[in-house]
Amino acid sequence: MAGVLESVNQLTELVGQNRMELLLFHLNGRKQRYGINVFKVREVLRCPHLTVMPKLHRFVCGVAHIRGQTVSIIDLGMATGAPKIEDLSKAFVIIAEYNRSVQGFLVAAVDRILNMNWSAIMPPPKGVGKQNYMTAVTEIDGELVQILDVERILDEISPINTEVSDTVVQETVKTTKEINIAELPVLVADDSTVARRQVQKSMEAIGIHCLLAKNGREALDILKDMSTKGPMDEQLLMVISDIEMPEMDGYTLTASIRNDPALKDLEVILHTSLSGIFNQTMVKKVGANNFIAKFNPDELAKAVRDVLKSKQGQAVAQRLS
């Protein structure tokens, strides 16, 4: 138990400091290094015995039984256009947790772990095209390192349901009948184009307009600009933010909101594929109102509905006072 608590303390020390730990690895047939946030990694191991099953997606090279759990093993290189790994005996598997499930990513080699500042992680260069699988890039040892959009890869292999149920839609419409929600947009901050689209589709299903930002820095700039035009509660319903983002992560964005007198009362939901054991501690530390693991459209819509109920209650109280 002491070891677990020490690990939690070490990881939470990164919160609010805009820092992260990056696991570097190589894909088959490519000299370039790639990265994944250590927060999402459970373990790294030599490729275990794989069981090939019928009707698997072509990027899934089999399933492995790891610590009592059956885990799909995805050839991360194939998913991004690299050659298939033929000799599994020399390959490694990164066991990671994304979007409430555990996956294994087959890679050619694992390099090392680096502690970095998110300010050194930049958005993909303009002009790279829509076919790339980057959410961010950084420079390490004079070389460009790509951070992959794993959410996009997973969505291409097994698309996530983004439909809000009719029941939740009807309940939300009933809740908001006294509020002109068209005037109260939600600011969505996420570096993944797939994730932004998923959230936007869910919000539009319940009649909510979205403002979109690609990272925490862009979101904070939008908020600061809005705050110069009047009270925030008259312009914005809430912020829904990813955690992992280049330039400024969601934790630092939330802490910055809480430290700004004009923004400090904004409702903030951290909405992330980081669904590990450390998040509740981190959410409390930076002052977020809620944490929701990706991606459940009903759960997200209900959380927004709860904020709308609160707004409705405040509006009624003001009329009666």
Side-chain angles (χ1 to χ4, degrees):
M1 178 62 71
V4 173
L5 292 177
E6 182 181 356
S7 178
V8 171
N9 289 335
Q10 289 175 349
L11 287 171
T12 55
E13 283 302 312
L14 301 178
V15 176
Q17 299 178 22
N18 206 37
R19 300 194 69 84
M20 55 94 75
E21 289 186 332
L22 194 66
L23 172 64
L24 304 180
F25 57 89
H26 292 268
L27 298 179
N28 191 37
R30 294 177 178 173
K31 294 182 179 180
Q32 182 173 5
R33 285 180 290 183
Y34 297 82
I36 183 175
N37 193 332
V38 171
F39 276 124
K40 294 181 177 178
V41 178
R42 287 191 172 187
E43 61 180 311
V44 179
L45 63 158
R46 285 279 188 180
C47 183
H49 172 74
L50 300 184
T51 302
V52 179
M53 302 178 67
K55 298 183 180 180
L56 290 176
H57 191 280
R58 64 190 183 93
F59 297 153
V60 179
C61 44
V63 298
H65 300 284
I66 300 172
R67 307 196 189 288
Q69 187 172 10
T70 301
V71 179
S72 296
I73 308 299
I74 299 167
D75 189 322
L76 203 52
M78 282 189 69
T80 58
K84 178 182 179 180
I85 294 179
E86 300 291 349
D87 187 355
L88 298 181
S89 66
K90 296 181 180 179
F92 289 81
V93 171
I94 300 171
I95 305 298
E97 185 174 355
Y98 277 82
N99 298 348
R100 308 184 187 220
S101 64
V102 177
Q103 306 85 20
F105 299 121
L106 187 71
V107 300
V110 175
D111 191 340
R112 54 185 163 136
I113 293 175
L114 288 179
N115 186 308
M116 300 188 65
N117 194 299
W118 273 109
S119 63
I121 312 293
M122 305 303 294
K126 293 182 179 179
V128 294
K130 296 182 178 180
Q131 298 306 312
N132 80 87
Y133 286 86
M134 293 183 287
T135 59
V137 296
T138 190
E139 186 176 309
I140 298 174
D141 301 331
E143 297 179 2
L144 189 70
V145 173
Q146 293 185 19
I147 299 175
L148 294 176
D149 188 348
V150 176
E151 291 176 68
R152 175 182 172 184
I153 293 169
L154 294 176
D155 189 61
E156 290 181 353
I157 294 173
S158 180
I160 295 175
N161 175 34
T162 59
E163 300 292 334
V164 180
S165 68
D166 291 340
T167 300
V168 174
V169 171
Q170 293 169 6
E171 289 174 351
T172 305
V173 170
K174 181 180 178 180
T175 299
T176 60
K177 64 182 180 180
E178 295 185 12
I179 302 175
N180 186 356
I181 59 176
E183 296 180 1
L184 293 172
V186 167
L187 176 60
V188 178
D190 202 303
D191 61 329
S192 170
T193 54
V194 168
R196 288 198 303 273
R197 184 171 66 248
Q198 289 170 344
V199 176
Q200 185 175 22
K201 185 174 181 180
S202 297
M203 293 298 97
E204 289 176 347
I206 58 174
I208 301 289
H209 173 64
C210 291
L211 305 176
L212 303 178
K214 297 178 182 177
N215 56 60
R217 173 62 60 193
E218 184 176 326
L220 187 60
D221 288 344
I222 291 172
L223 292 172
K224 286 184 175 293
D225 180 65
M226 293 177 71
S227 69
T228 65
K229 300 174 182 177
M232 291 302 298
D233 62 351
E234 297 178 4
Q235 301 181 72
L236 194 70
L237 177 64
M238 64 190 306
V239 176
I240 300 175
S241 176
D242 187 21
I243 291 178
E244 287 187 286
M245 295 180 289
E247 296 192 77
M248 178 183 286
D249 67 11
Y251 293 133
T252 306
L253 170 62
T254 305
S256 298
I257 289 172
R258 295 294 176 247
N259 291 328
D260 188 321
L263 306 175
K264 63 182 180 66
D265 294 327
L266 277 173
E267 189 88 11
V268 179
I269 291 179
L270 291 177
H271 182 241
T272 174
S273 56
L274 286 170
S275 50
I277 64 173
F278 304 105
N279 285 295
Q280 295 303 326
T281 301
M282 295 174 178
V283 166
K284 292 178 182 178
K285 183 171 182 177
V286 298
N289 299 96
N290 200 354
F291 164 82
I292 299 177
K294 294 177 179 176
F295 181 75
N296 185 306
D298 276 4
E299 189 172 339
L300 184 60
K302 287 178 181 178
V304 174
R305 186 187 67 200
D306 289 343
V307 177
L308 287 166
K309 284 183 178 180
S310 176
K311 290 276 187 181
Q312 184 183 45
Q314 293 171 12
V316 172
Q318 287 177 356
R319 286 200 301 269
L320 297 176
S321 63

